[in-house]
Amino acid sequence: DFGTRALGSQYDYVRAMLAVRGYWSPFPKLADFVVAGRGVYQVASRGTPFFSMNIMPFTEDPRTGLGGVRTLRGFKSDRFVGPVMALGNLELRWTFARTKVLGQQFAFIGVPFLDMGRTFDQIRRTTLRDWDRAQGAGLRVAWNLATVIMVDYGVSSEDSGLYINFG
């Protein structure tokens, strides 16, 4: 993600993000259970405008700052913003029931989770100490394997949040 005066921007800046995801089913023959993890590390250069500093340019949809439904559940949205942002999410997804109602297929998935994140002023100050943590649990209802209704409740040292999403 970048802006340059050469292309008409008022700002010269660069933002780079590395995001990795992993999914693992430890015992596929015994249960529909998946361990899901995500790690994100983002760096924005000095010229990044303040009103754009909170953007995390994921390919599927841009997100804002650390905190809220997609990053640190249990903290307010945009609670942590800085030139260097790091995030880790871990979910244990267990599909505990499936049913069919009026020709519609439904799956019910329990999801305990742990979210951790931190901002830094500079890349060289990145450390694994003093990250902010939030944890909680949620329920996903998969409808015809294409639509997912998500209800999560996250708790942090500062706050808690109930998140409902449909997509």
Side-chain angles (χ1 to χ4, degrees):
D1 189 23
F2 72 96
T4 175
R5 294 179 198 277
L7 295 176
S9 175
Q10 293 180 337
Y11 305 94
D12 288 312
Y13 71 96
V14 175
R15 180 180 9 243
M17 172 191 277
L18 173 65
V20 295
R21 294 180 190 192
Y23 305 91
W24 176 51
S25 182
F27 28 84
K29 293 181 181 178
L30 295 176
D32 191 348
F33 179 80
V34 174
V35 178
R38 175 176 67 168
V40 177
Y41 189 77
Q42 175 176 297
V43 178
S45 69
R46 279 187 200 257
T48 305
F50 74 92
F51 56 82
S52 177
M53 188 64 96
N54 67 339
I55 301 298
M56 300 183 81
F58 287 96
T59 54
E60 64 272 14
D61 63 331
R63 311 266 168 80
T64 56
L66 296 178
V69 66
R70 296 290 182 195
T71 55
L72 289 174
R73 294 161 283 190
F75 286 99
K76 297 279 188 225
S77 190
D78 264 357
R79 170 62 178 89
F80 304 101
V81 175
V84 179
M85 293 191 278
L87 169 69
N89 304 109
L90 178 67
E91 293 184 348
L92 305 177
R93 301 173 181 174
W94 174 47
T95 304
F96 60 88
R98 294 178 191 276
T99 189
K100 197 171 188 177
V101 177
L102 299 173
Q104 306 292 305
Q105 296 180 38
F106 294 93
F108 299 90
I109 307 160
V111 184
F113 60 83
L114 173 67
D115 298 336
M116 297 182 76
R118 175 141 185 226
T119 60
F120 305 94
D121 293 332
Q122 301 171 337
I123 295 172
R124 65 185 171 97
R125 295 188 185 228
T126 301
T127 178
L128 293 176
R129 289 180 310 205
D130 302 322
W131 283 43
D132 292 288
R133 185 180 95 177
Q135 60 277 327
L139 174 69
R140 310 284 190 276
V141 179
W143 179 8
N144 284 337
L145 306 176
T147 302
V148 177
I149 301 164
M150 178 192 94
V151 179
D152 283 346
Y153 182 72
V155 177
S156 70
S157 59
E158 295 180 358
D159 206 352
S160 63
L162 177 66
Y163 309 95
I164 302 171
N165 200 348
F166 184 84

